[in-house]
Amino acid sequence: MTPAATLRALHHAPAPGGGPLVLPGPWDAASARAFADAGFPALATPSAGVAASLGYADGETPAAEMFAAVARIVRAVDVPVSADVEDGYGLAPRELVGRLLEAGAAGCNLEDGDRASGLLKDPREQADFLAAVRAEAGDALVVNARVDTFLKGGTDPEPAIARGRLYAAAGADCLYPILAPPPLLAALGEAVGLPVNALALPDGPSPRELGRLGAARVTFGGGLHARAMAAVAETAVALAADLRGGS
């Protein structure tokens, strides 16, 4: 099977132990190897973690640097890698798909929040964009359609469902209603007819619990990078304290 076919199948096959598909978010080649060596069957890069590792704020990474980072991660592991490419960087579908495939990505996140304006994109225009991406990619990419209505402060699930149905009709493989209240996950998936991606938060339900609530796929955004950097900061403080104590 191709990497995309393998990744697509993982969305529909029970994970070991019956939990959801858990996709850790590597930010560089070394972290990708660590997650793959731990036995995770696929990975999903986070734009925030990759941006931080490259010295940028989330949303400010130049497209060329993001694709280069994805390519390094893909080369480092033997499992499928999905790439968070934010809102597509303003690239036409053909170029976007070409650069994803050139980097070796098996899938991608595409969000319907406009990074430049901070507003939600028109849902029909976003659906047309997703349909064009699907037409260019064929089966070579697993498209995770992010819905930002909850991220923008909405609480009503109906706008997310309406957008999700348009994106499903456009050929999306998975629905990502980021920051949706966990109790809504099952209803969102049932209403849209797609596997649902949930974001695991440090103070929220565990990945296994998110699976019980209806998530077929769990990702972490920049959370794992933040945890790793907290450990680095702790090490740095301890080292600096030791040096001061020895002076």
Side-chain angles (χ1 to χ4, degrees), residues 173-240:
D173 296 283
C174 189
L175 178 73
Y176 183 13
I178 186 170
L179 296 186
L184 293 180
L185 294 172
L188 289 168
E190 183 177 353
V192 173
L194 289 178
V196 172
N197 186 133
L199 175 66
L201 297 172
D203 57 350
S206 69
R208 185 172 294 278
E209 178 61 20
L210 289 170
R212 285 194 286 266
L213 290 168
R217 160 177 165 159
V218 175
T219 53
F220 300 84
L224 298 180
H225 175 265
R227 286 168 59 179
M229 290 311 300
V232 170
E234 183 178 349
T235 300
V237 168
L239 178 59

Side-chain angles (χ1 to χ4, degrees), residues 97-158:
V97 169
R99 295 178 78 167
L100 282 163
L101 295 180
E102 183 180 13
C108 64
N109 276 15
L110 286 168
E111 61 200 50
D112 63 1
D114 187 305
R115 292 268 178 162
S117 69
L119 302 174
L120 288 168
K121 295 181 180 179
D122 178 88
R124 294 193 179 277
E125 290 180 3
Q126 179 69 358
D128 289 343
F129 176 68
L130 293 174
V133 168
R134 170 57 68 215
E136 293 290 342
D139 292 333
L141 288 174
V142 175
V143 177
N144 188 31
R146 201 177 96 175
V147 174
D148 285 8
T149 56
F150 297 103
L151 179 66
K152 300 299 183 183
T155 57
D156 183 357
E158 289 306 317

Side-chain angles (χ1 to χ4, degrees), residues 33-48:
R33 288 195 191 102
F35 292 128
D37 288 348
F40 289 96
L43 307 173
T45 69
S47 67

